Amino acid sequence: MEINGKTRTCGLIGNPVEHTLSPMIHNTLAEMFGHNLVYVPFPVETGRIAEAVNGASALQILGLNVTVPYKSEVIPCLREVDSLAASIGAVNTLVSFSGGYKGYNTDMEGLYRAMTTEGIQLEGEEIILLGAGGASRAVAYLCAVKGAKRVYLLNRTLDRAEQAAQEVNRSVGRELILPMALSDFDRLPDQKFLAIQGTSVGLSPHVDQVVIDDEAFYRRIHTGFDLIYTPWETRFMKLVRENGGQAYNGLKMLLYQGVIAYELWNGVEVSEKEAQIVYEKLKSAVS
Ligand code: ATR
């Protein structure tokens, strides 16, 4: 693509931003659609997020992704926040809106689309969610919004699981989330579950780590979804597979959070075929 006077800019704000795969996603899509658009990383120093958002608006930056550590801090800088992002309390995508930006959480919509394309559903499901940090809380909200039947929130520190459950249950107005200590997994009902791994345990280079190492736990899982995508197969995924379940990593979640952001910025629909081309590129970049 030739950069000229009509080129529009999108980008990523965060700190650090050097290792991001987002430019690959968006610049590939721009090329495929023939859009005159470029996506670049913008490192933002501590304490300067408001300046960055206002400056981006002044420069008519079409849209931005937001990464660590600004996903919550950016919220007061926005004109409006989408309802899912507001309940999660985290925004990863800014779309030009009314002289500023509106915030969305395409991380969770991306996870949902990734699951849907793999034939995994949340509606009416009984789900095990591992972890009670920011990522797992967001997944808990997603499960609530998408009509899950029950979510067993298992965390090493029971206190944090209880806090997260209380917060989500209060917000959705029903006792959807049941907090449990990891060590109590054998008290789960005797059935098979969809399990979502939302902690950073097992992330490269600590590839031998896993939150629960007992085979008995994995015999209760029909499908395991790990939010991690490096390594390609986490120990959690391996244990799910060894015990007869299907397992997926988080690369499609990364793909679709980007795809949905691109759709919001450009008012287009990215087909499965187009998404698959981007996915293959991401896959070779991470493996
Ligand atoms: P994020 O916001 O990215 O989700 P976080 O807030 O640091 O990350 O949360 C990390 C999650 O991983 C928590 O659920 C944490 O459990 P605790 O609440 O008990 O700390 C979990 N975690 C981290 N290391 C762990 C380990 N070695 N075993 C089990 N759980 C672990």
Side-chain angles (χ1 to χ4, degrees):
M1 188 203 66
E2 187 200 333
I3 293 179
N4 57 29
K6 290 182 177 160
T7 303
R8 293 175 311 163
T9 307
C10 288
L12 170 71
I13 53 177
N15 192 8
V17 291
E18 285 79 11
H19 302 293
T20 177
L21 289 167
S22 291
M24 178 179 280
I25 300 175
H26 296 285
N27 292 318
T28 303
L29 287 169
E31 202 173 307
M32 275 163 40
F33 278 89
H35 288 154
N36 189 349
L37 182 155
V38 63
Y39 182 103
V40 286
F42 296 116
V44 175
E45 286 172 9
T46 308
R48 303 195 69 177
I49 187 66
E51 271 178 88
V53 172
N54 291 335
S57 175
L59 292 171
Q60 298 190 15
I61 301 282
L62 178 65
L64 290 166
N65 283 133
V66 184
T67 189
V68 177
Y70 300 122
K71 289 185 184 188
S72 299
E73 212 182 306
V74 75
I75 290 177
C77 314
L78 305 176
R79 290 277 189 277
E80 200 168 299
V81 181
D82 163 76
S83 62
L84 176 66
S87 30
I88 295 168
V91 154
N92 80 310
T93 298
L94 309 189
V95 180
S96 179
F97 176 81
S98 183
Y101 292 98
K102 177 169 177 177
Y104 294 83
N105 191 306
T106 73
D107 284 331
M108 285 307 110
E109 291 295 354
L111 171 61
Y112 183 67
R113 192 130 136 202
M115 289 185 150
T116 307
T117 61
E118 304 289 14
I120 304 166
Q121 61 170 38
L122 297 176
E123 293 81 356
E125 282 291 309
E126 300 219 19
I127 299 162
I128 296 173
L129 177 54
L130 296 175
S136 295
R137 267 172 212 237
V139 174
Y141 275 107
L142 179 73
C143 292
V145 168
K146 301 298 179 187
K149 187 172 168 198
R150 175 138 299 157
V151 177
Y152 297 91
L153 182 67
L154 272 61
N155 197 47
R156 177 179 58 181
T157 315
L158 178 60
D159 253 18
R160 283 189 87 196
E162 285 172 347
Q163 273 171 36
Q166 201 178 42
E167 182 188 304
V168 180
N169 289 340
R170 196 182 299 139
S171 158
V172 302
R174 63 186 171 117
E175 290 297 301
L176 168 74
I177 317 281
L178 283 171
M180 288 174 73
L182 285 178
S183 49
D184 284 342
F185 75 83
D186 56 347
R187 286 173 38 207
L188 285 164
D190 190 18
Q191 64 177 78
K192 294 248 183 185
F193 294 90
L194 161 65
I196 302 170
Q197 202 299 107
T199 78
S200 50
V201 178
L203 186 64
S204 278
H206 307 289
V207 299
D208 293 331
Q209 295 184 0
V210 66
V211 283
I212 298 176
D213 208 356
D214 191 327
E215 300 258 345
F217 173 68
Y218 295 89
R219 287 197 285 274
R220 293 164 179 265
I221 299 176
H222 62 73
T223 306
F225 200 107
D226 202 324
L227 302 195
I228 294 173
Y229 54 84
T230 51
W232 188 252
E233 184 187 56
T234 60
R235 183 152 165 71
F236 167 80
M237 291 168 61
K238 191 163 182 283
L239 284 161
V240 169
R241 285 180 179 145
E242 283 173 0
N243 286 281
Q246 303 268 351
Y248 302 88
N249 68 26
L251 193 66
K252 286 210 170 159
M253 172 182 171
L254 175 78
L255 166 73
Y256 287 109
Q257 65 73 32
V259 162
I260 296 167
Y262 192 90
E263 291 177 336
L264 287 168
W265 294 332
N266 294 288
V268 294
E269 208 171 295
V270 177
S271 70
E272 273 322 300
K273 204 172 147 203
E274 287 156 341
Q276 191 61 31
I277 295 169
V278 182
Y279 180 69
E280 291 304 328
K281 271 191 142 176
L282 288 174
K283 197 171 161 184
S284 22
V286 300
S287 49

